Amino acid sequence: MRHLMSPLDLSVSELKRLMDLAQDIEEHPEDYNTKCNGKKLATCFYEPSTRTRLSFEAAMLNLGGSVLGFSSADSSSAAKGESVSDTIRVISSYADICAMRHPKEGAPLVASIHSGIPVINAGDGGHQHPTQTLTDLFTIRSLRGEIKDLTIGLCGDLKFGRTVHSLIEALVRYPNIRFKLISPEELRVPDYIREEVLVRNNIPFEELERLENAMPDLDILYMTRVQRERFFNEEDYVRMKDFYILDKDKMALAKEDMMVLHPLPRVNEISVDVDDDPRAFYFKQAKKGVYVRMALILTLLGLVEGIFDEDKEDYHA
Ligand code: NCD
């Protein structure tokens, strides 16, 4: 049985086959609409979510399965003090697979250790968000054909933004990827990302504060929201929240084929005027998330063959 805690749990070749499957699902959805008949997905969300939870649920429903779960800690027994390990033990007898989001880093990992069913990390604190990364990679591949030779700008809250951490870890495994890390001084990427992921893998990157300075070089701009819920005080959040606003003037500095991505939800960091720009892909990106989650559910439930490497040593390729 395999779980998904981090994008590194899948090798590059496994990711490729998973994205091939997602693409086939996107092109021929009718071929998949009974594959999960009789199967149940539990969504255990201890933190707010719109896209991740609903796209997991839509994915399971599209596959002919059913869903059950809770969407806040208050409405689960966590409010009574139950541990995630006890919760997952019980859910293992109610469902076949579980997607879990939790404000504590590592909580889905703890759950996976005590689980009788595959657990998918749907976001753990400021740490990782692997299924958003699958969505991002699949979007990039769909639009560019391949994931290589790209200058990628990551802009906003690079400290607390878990989508950024997972995406960097995943992208450094592809050829000729360079990063422009655009953030205020206080919201730079954590040291472990800088040292253990970027420096260790000899990835070219630059940390800078002004989005305008990076714009002309970028092939992809990945905007992120300032993660209010992870700040220790409201004052710092207020100071930082409108640090970046991508608007038409800034878009005018970019290449004609640059892609703007955003995991969403957007607050103020992308002006709504940009939504009509043909380079704005964030809503299409959210739609892609359903297909990769369908592919992931099928894979972890063992309902499709040939996605996982035979040689398990290759996981962290
Ligand atoms: C992201 C998250 O939850 O980390 N949202 C999502 O799942 N698409 C990004 C965010 O909340 O800013």
Side-chain angles (χ1 to χ4, degrees):
M1 186 172 65
R2 289 203 24 194
H3 308 281
L4 184 72
M5 293 298 125
S6 138
L8 299 184
D9 292 345
L10 294 163
S11 70
V12 171
S13 45
E14 289 174 331
L15 275 171
K16 180 188 175 296
R17 293 190 290 269
L18 190 82
M19 288 192 269
D20 291 344
L21 174 61
Q23 191 175 329
D24 194 59
I25 295 172
E26 184 174 15
E27 289 163 8
H28 309 284
E30 62 291 348
D31 292 353
Y32 293 89
N33 59 17
T34 56
K35 294 266 187 217
C36 280
N37 278 0
K39 299 286 182 193
K40 291 190 255 357
L41 164 77
T43 51
C44 300
F45 276 59
Y46 296 84
E47 237 193 14
S49 168
T50 302
R51 263 151 301 274
T52 305
R53 187 171 60 84
L54 297 187
S55 66
F56 262 116
E57 296 190 359
M60 193 50 155
L61 296 173
N62 290 345
L63 292 166
S66 351
V67 295
L68 65 165
F70 53 85
S71 57
S72 75
D74 305 348
S75 63
S76 77
S77 281
K80 300 180 189 169
E82 189 176 46
S83 65
V84 286
S85 29
D86 282 3
T87 305
I88 196 71
R89 274 201 189 107
V90 175
I91 288 175
S92 299
S93 61
Y94 298 161
D96 301 285
I97 185 163
C98 171
M100 179 179 286
R101 169 170 289 190
H102 203 286
K104 281 207 190 116
E105 305 196 349
L109 178 65
V110 171
S112 71
I113 293 164
H114 298 95
S115 179
I117 59 175
V119 176
I120 302 168
N121 177 5
D124 61 328
H127 186 216
Q128 296 278 343
H129 192 346
T131 61
Q132 181 63 47
T133 297
L134 298 182
T135 305
D136 302 338
L137 296 177
F138 184 50
T139 306
I140 296 170
R141 196 182 85 153
S142 305
L143 295 167
R144 293 272 164 174
E146 272 183 284
I147 305 172
K148 66 176 203 183
D149 302 329
L150 295 168
T151 300
I152 302 182
L154 298 155
C155 177
D157 186 345
L158 310 187
K159 179 177 182 184
F160 296 116
R162 56 194 173 196
T163 62
V164 167
H165 307 156
S166 289
L167 186 56
I168 293 176
E169 286 201 347
L171 281 171
V172 298
R173 300 186 294 172
Y174 292 87
N176 200 18
I177 300 290
R178 302 163 293 275
F179 293 101
K180 301 264 180 194
L181 304 175
I182 309 148
S183 73
E185 178 84 33
E186 289 109 309
L187 297 181
R188 287 185 176 191
V189 287
D191 291 346
Y192 81 92
I193 295 284
R194 185 182 306 100
E195 302 306 325
E196 286 162 40
V197 183
L198 294 166
V199 173
R200 181 177 292 176
N201 289 293
N202 291 319
I203 305 299
F205 72 97
E206 185 191 344
E207 295 186 276
L208 66 165
E209 202 169 89
R210 278 178 61 82
L211 176 55
E212 290 85 336
N213 293 351
M215 246 5 219
D217 297 327
L218 303 181
D219 299 306
I220 294 174
L221 172 59
Y222 192 92
M223 292 296 293
T224 61
R225 159 184 86 88
V226 176
Q227 305 280 302
R228 180 181 201 160
E229 64 277 36
R230 316 231 184 270
F231 274 71
F232 296 112
N233 69 66
E234 182 72 7
E235 239 168 73
D236 286 346
Y237 169 71
V238 170
R239 201 159 44 80
M240 241 47 104
K241 74 183 171 74
D242 293 329
F243 205 93
Y244 297 107
I245 299 183
L246 179 66
D247 57 14
K248 284 194 159 164
D249 290 346
K250 293 197 189 78
M251 287 298 285
L253 304 171
K255 291 183 186 170
E256 268 177 32
D257 62 348
M258 187 193 71
M259 293 163 55
V260 184
L261 301 181
H262 190 310
L264 303 176
R266 156 190 41 200
V267 188
N268 287 328
E269 60 281 353
I270 302 181
S271 152
V272 291
D273 305 348
V274 174
D275 295 355
D276 298 331
D277 190 305
R279 296 169 290 183
F281 283 104
Y282 27 93
F283 293 114
K284 292 190 187 116
Q285 180 187 0
K287 188 168 177 204
K288 299 269 181 201
V290 176
Y291 305 119
V292 283
R293 290 184 174 98
M294 288 169 78
L296 181 66
I297 290 170
L298 287 172
T299 302
L300 293 180
L301 285 176
L303 297 172
V304 287
E305 301 278 303
I307 304 286
F308 290 138
D309 293 332
E310 307 263 311
D311 169 11
K312 298 202 170 168
E313 307 287 37
D314 191 25
Y315 281 2
H316 296 267

